[in-house]
Amino acid sequence: MLENGMVAGYGYEEPLREPRKIGQCKYKHCREELYEGEGYELHGHLYCSTGCMGEHLIEQGEAVDLSA
């Protein structure tokens, strides 16, 4: 009979690990925690999404919202 390697415990090449926290979203109303492999960085600041990054740039006067 064949065993399922994942159930038997020998199916992983390396142990699973928790993702490492790298910071929080810079946008003032968000502050979502960011982990390795997610988010965006601009000018040394972290953002959880392009939405938060864009809103922050508009508030700082570095971008102009032409749709408004």
Side-chain angles (χ1 to χ4, degrees):
M1 179 169 116
L2 295 174
E3 288 185 20
N4 182 332
M6 300 303 221
V7 174
Y10 56 83
Y12 295 107
E13 291 183 18
E14 59 185 59
L16 296 177
R17 61 180 179 86
E18 292 286 323
R20 185 174 60 95
K21 181 179 171 184
I22 58 171
Q24 288 184 325
C25 181
K26 166 80 171 154
Y27 189 54
K28 64 183 176 185
H29 301 295
C30 184
R31 298 294 185 201
E32 182 175 321
E33 293 182 347
L34 297 169
Y35 294 87
E36 289 178 304
E38 62 184 26
Y40 301 88
E41 181 182 355
L42 179 66
H43 304 303
H45 300 292
L46 297 173
Y47 300 92
C48 68
S49 68
T50 55
C52 283
M53 184 170 32
E55 289 295 322
H56 185 80
L57 291 173
I58 289 168
E59 289 175 4
Q60 296 298 312
E62 295 183 40
V64 176
D65 184 359
L66 298 176
S67 65

